[in-house]
């Protein structure tokens, strides 16, 4: 949600902090601020609105100092305003901090602190932390942070400056990500790796309640019991350019164009392409375990949830294992029935989504085998899954709307289905090999599709961008894909949109169809094509305009019903979502651009949802 950066080194901190914040702005962006320390004082500057407002304010009077912290805020407690923006300071201005997360007992703490004479200037939960630290500090910030951790309930990632220690930067976290970037003569902190990549690739992941004490030439980490622990940095090999626009007007379209490469990378990480078999160690089950599974529950949020829905169709079909898919915020509170013998899979691009993390904890508590599928090595969800973690290799995804991470999630659903099916003996080795072989063609087909369809989609958007609502319909895998198509359109173009199982439309929703309503039908599953096409006829006879997206081999049949027809290359049924998703993602993008929307940073949204 919010973004944090911190720096201590020999260069001026302000430009480094602002650069880091610009790379994190996608996480949350209703206000921003920095604090820089110069030995005698902590200097602050904050501004409501986009980072540029802060940059403008600093232009005439830059903050001097070689140690500092910065923050982009996505409001949870208190409206977006200069006062509520971080950093926050204690009353003397001697401690300053930035915070991600939510302090759940902030009301009680605020009342106690006010009773002790603290004067609050903001409506934020964060301000209680800085006053609390002031009360607990008596010359030892490490101890104050440790005592604060015992009092604070909720989640936090914190970076702290203390005027008494002009050469030290403190940071700590609980249930909210924070990484330390290490180098010889400077140390960096950020809530997300892309903010560090320009400076270092050696990254230390802080565990819950650990405290990092950073000096220019050293980083020392203390575990929750106050013991110093050895550093175990991971090397991040993400391409820096992957976190930059590289000539594209927006990250979203750049990331859609990266999908063929992301698919190839994820595939070769899991499949030995010489033998066309799954790598031995690719999936964490033995044959015996796979056979003894009673159920699989997939839990995720938003787009990742939609990947889970695709998983349900493919895994049930190939591995004959009953699959339930649930949104994490529902799962965690519905007293789920689950235990040993059940498999639980959390899907999360960021690996930091609070609801998904909580659902995983609940599944572990109930005794299920817990697995995770994520795009971020070392993320909280990856760490919670221990050895049972699967990775997508989409690279950093910067646009708020998930595209390339989603496509690799659905690719992983197919690979997981094949693994489970082979181990459970529900498909033959030859069938698996044929499917994996067909998967090797998908990146090229996706590339060709990207080149072929963009102009048609732009032309179409320029005709339809002013629609007030759009329906997506499909059956089976196409219905699962319709859900994602609809979410993508809503979030980036703000057009009201619904996804419907094509056969369900006539049970009520068809009442909304009127002359000119745009209905987008996904028709890639040959066995269901006639059924969906009859639903297309139903809406057209009530005046709807039908955009049909189908495979090349269904083009003739679909062409008779469609007002506009787009095709995708043929492939086995289970792989068609990997192709059909491309035109619908591009459609959402193109509609948003035509409507003048802020595509990469849609209103009200944040990339990584670390609050409930
Ligand atoms: C939409 C989108 C969100 C996320 C959801 C879960 O484009 O990106 O719906 O999919 O917030 O996020 P992760 O996958 O990081 O757990």
């Amino acid at each position: 949600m919010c973004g944090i950066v911190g720096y201590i080194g020999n260069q001026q901190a302000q430009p480094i902090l602002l650069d880091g914040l610009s790379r994190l702005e996608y996480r949350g962006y209703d206000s921003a601020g920095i604090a820089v320390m110069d030995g005698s004082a902590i200097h602050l500057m904050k501004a409501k609105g986009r980072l540029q407002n802060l940059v403008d304010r600093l232009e005439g009077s830059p903050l001097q100092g070689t140690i500092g912290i910065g923050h982009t805020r996505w409001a949870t407690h208190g409206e977006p305003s200069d006062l509520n923006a971080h950093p926050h300071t204690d009353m003397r201005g001697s401690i300053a901090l930035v915070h991600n997360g939510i302090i759940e007992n902030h009301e009680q703490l605020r009342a106690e602190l006010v009773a002790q004479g603290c004067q609050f200037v903001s409506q934020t939960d964060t301000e209680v932390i800085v006053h609390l630290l002031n009360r607990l500090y008596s010359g030892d910030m490490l101890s104050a942070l440790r005592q604060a951790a015992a009092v604070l309930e909720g989640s936090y990632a914190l970076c702290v400056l203390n005027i008494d220690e002009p050469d030290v930067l403190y940071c700590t976290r609980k249930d909210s990500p924070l990484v330390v970037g290490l180098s010889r003569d400077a140390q960096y902190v950020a809530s997300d790796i892309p903010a560090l990549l320009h400076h270092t690739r050696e990254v230390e992941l802080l565990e819950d309640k650990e405290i990092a004490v950073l000096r220019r030439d050293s980083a020392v980490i203390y575990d929750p019991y106050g013991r110093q622990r050895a550093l175990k940095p991971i090397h991040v090999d993400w391409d820096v350019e992957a976190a930059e626009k590289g000539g594209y007007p927006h990250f979203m379209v750049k990331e859609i164009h990266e999908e063929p490469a992301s698919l190839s990378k994820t595939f070769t990480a899991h499949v030995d392409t010489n033998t066309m078999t799954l790598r031995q160690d690719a999936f964490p089950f033995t044959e015996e375990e796979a056979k003894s599974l009673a159920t699989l529950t997939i839990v995720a949020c938003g787009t990742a949830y939609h990947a889970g829905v695709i998983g349900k169709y493919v895994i049930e079909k190939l591995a004959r294992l009953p699959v339930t898919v649930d949104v994490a915020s529902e799962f965690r509170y519905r007293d789920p029935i689950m235990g040993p013998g059940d498999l639980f899979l959390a899907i999360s691009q960021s690996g930091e989504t609070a609801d998904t993390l909580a659902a995983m904890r609940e599944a572990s508590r109930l005794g299920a085998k817990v697995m995770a599928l994520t795009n971020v090595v070392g993320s909280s969800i990856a760490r919670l899954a221990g050895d049972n973690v699967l990775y997508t290799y989409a690279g950093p995804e910067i646009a708020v709307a998930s595209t390339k991470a989603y496509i690799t999630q659905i690719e992983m659903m197919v690979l997981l289905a094949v693994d489970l099916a082979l181990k459970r003996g529900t498909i033959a080795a030859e069938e698996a090999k044929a499917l994996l072989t067909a998967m090797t063609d998908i990146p090229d087909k996706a590339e060709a599709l990207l080149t072929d369809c963009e102009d048609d989609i732009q032309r179409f958007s320029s005709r339809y961008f002013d629609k007030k609502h759009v329906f997506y319909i499909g059956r089976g895998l196409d219905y699962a894909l319709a859900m994602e198509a609809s979410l993508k359109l809503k979030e980036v173009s703000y057009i009201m949109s619904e996804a419907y199982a094509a056969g369900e439309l006539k049970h009520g929703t068809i009442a909304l169809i009127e002359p000119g309503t745009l209905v987008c039908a996904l028709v890639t599953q040959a066995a269901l094509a006639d059924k969906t096409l009859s639903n297309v006829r139903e809406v057209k006879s009530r005046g709807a305009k039908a955009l049909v997206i189908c495979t090349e081999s269904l083009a003739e049949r679909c062409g008779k019903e469609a007002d506009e027809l787009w095709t995708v290359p043929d492939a086995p049924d289970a792989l068609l979502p990997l192709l059909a998703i491309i035109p619908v993602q591009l459609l959402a993008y193109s509609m948003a651009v035509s409507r003048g929307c802020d595509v990469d940073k849609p209103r009200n949204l944040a990339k990584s949802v670390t609050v409930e």
Side-chain angles (χ1 to χ4, degrees), residues 137-163:
Y137 176 68
S138 55
D140 182 352
M141 184 53 79
L142 206 53
S143 157
L145 283 166
R146 228 173 268 132
Q147 291 174 64
V151 176
L152 297 171
E153 287 168 19
S155 58
Y156 53 82
L158 296 173
C159 263
V160 182
L161 297 179
N162 175 16
I163 195 66

Side-chain angles (χ1 to χ4, degrees), residues 297-456:
T297 301
I298 303 179
V299 169
C301 303
T303 288
Y305 165 76
H306 295 150
V309 180
I310 299 259
K312 174 180 168 69
Y313 282 94
V314 182
I315 294 167
E316 287 191 340
K317 177 108 186 152
L318 295 183
R320 310 307 298 155
L321 175 66
V323 181
T324 306
V325 195
D326 211 344
V327 288
S329 52
E330 288 299 309
F331 174 86
R332 60 186 291 195
Y333 294 119
R334 74 170 161 78
D335 203 1
I337 302 165
M338 174 170 287
D342 296 316
L343 178 64
F344 174 97
L345 173 68
I347 307 179
S348 172
Q349 183 282 129
S350 64
E352 300 295 348
T353 302
D355 282 320
T356 311
L357 262 168
M360 280 176 88
R361 292 197 186 102
E362 177 64 2
S364 292
R365 194 183 65 78
L366 294 169
K369 177 175 171 121
V370 172
M371 282 174 57
L373 173 61
T374 180
N375 194 39
V376 181
V377 176
S379 57
S380 304
I381 283 176
R383 283 184 280 169
L384 198 59
D387 291 339
N388 300 327
V389 56
L390 307 174
Y391 286 105
T392 49
Y393 291 85
E397 195 179 59
I398 306 296
V400 164
S402 180
T403 53
K404 62 176 179 169
Y406 170 76
I407 206 168
T408 55
Q409 285 164 351
I410 55 181
E411 180 183 37
M412 285 302 293
M413 290 297 99
V414 178
L415 295 178
L416 176 62
V418 172
D419 183 67
L420 284 169
L422 282 170
K423 288 177 177 157
R424 289 165 66 83
T426 51
I427 58 170
E430 284 319 303
E431 199 184 331
K433 197 168 263 188
L435 192 58
L436 295 177
T437 307
M439 280 179 96
T440 59
D441 295 337
I442 296 292
D444 285 347
K445 289 182 179 177
E447 195 72 69
L449 183 56
L450 277 164
T451 322
D452 290 351
C453 69
E454 237 167 349
D455 287 351
D456 281 349

Side-chain angles (χ1 to χ4, degrees), residues 266-316:
T266 303
F267 186 78
T268 47
H270 295 90
V271 180
D272 178 340
T273 46
N274 292 321
T275 56
M276 215 42 90
T277 52
L278 291 167
R279 293 189 189 282
Q280 288 285 307
D281 53 355
F283 295 92
F285 332 93
T286 60
E287 208 171 293
E288 206 180 318
E289 273 176 323
K291 281 196 174 115
S292 67
L293 286 174
T295 64
L296 165 62
T297 301
I298 303 179
V299 169
C301 303
T303 288
Y305 165 76
H306 295 150
V309 180
I310 299 259
K312 174 180 168 69
Y313 282 94
V314 182
I315 294 167
E316 287 191 340

Side-chain angles (χ1 to χ4, degrees), residues 84-215:
N84 286 334
H86 302 211
H88 290 281
T89 60
D90 62 346
M91 280 159 40
R92 288 194 305 129
S94 55
I95 302 174
L97 59 78
V98 289
H99 166 224
N100 280 359
I102 287 186
I103 301 304
E104 283 162 7
N105 57 342
H106 72 102
E107 280 176 2
Q108 177 210 328
L109 290 173
R110 181 182 273 249
E112 287 168 14
L113 288 160
V114 167
Q116 291 167 30
C118 290
Q119 286 169 6
F120 282 72
V121 293
S122 79
Q123 302 152 307
T124 63
D125 55 335
T126 300
E127 203 184 339
V128 300
I129 312 174
V130 74
H131 291 303
L132 181 66
L133 282 178
N134 170 288
R135 295 278 136 175
L136 298 171
Y137 176 68
S138 55
D140 182 352
M141 184 53 79
L142 206 53
S143 157
L145 283 166
R146 228 173 268 132
Q147 291 174 64
V151 176
L152 297 171
E153 287 168 19
S155 58
Y156 53 82
L158 296 173
C159 263
V160 182
L161 297 179
N162 175 16
I163 195 66
D164 289 349
E165 297 175 278
D167 296 316
V168 187
L169 179 59
Y170 288 92
C171 36
T172 185
R173 57 152 273 177
K174 179 182 163 264
D175 295 340
S176 188
L178 202 61
V179 294
V180 175
L182 306 169
S183 80
R184 208 162 36 85
D185 51 8
Q187 318 304 325
Y188 305 82
V189 190
S191 46
D192 210 357
I193 291 173
L196 304 174
L197 287 182
H198 272 259
H199 306 290
T200 179
R201 287 168 175 281
E202 301 309 309
V203 167
E204 184 70 35
L205 306 168
L206 276 193
E207 301 286 346
D208 268 0
K209 292 201 174 177
E210 286 188 335
I211 301 174
V213 180
L214 307 178
R215 294 187 167 80

Side-chain angles (χ1 to χ4, degrees), residues 502-540:
E504 184 65 10
L505 209 57
K506 57 183 161 300
H507 296 288
T509 307
I510 202 163
L512 294 173
I513 303 292
E514 54 188 32
T517 306
L518 180 59
V519 177
C520 172
L522 291 154
V523 193
T524 68
Q525 305 293 305
L528 299 169
D530 286 338
K531 300 283 175 205
T532 309
L533 287 175
S534 73
N535 303 127
V536 172
R537 278 191 288 274
E538 285 161 10
V539 293
K540 279 196 67 182

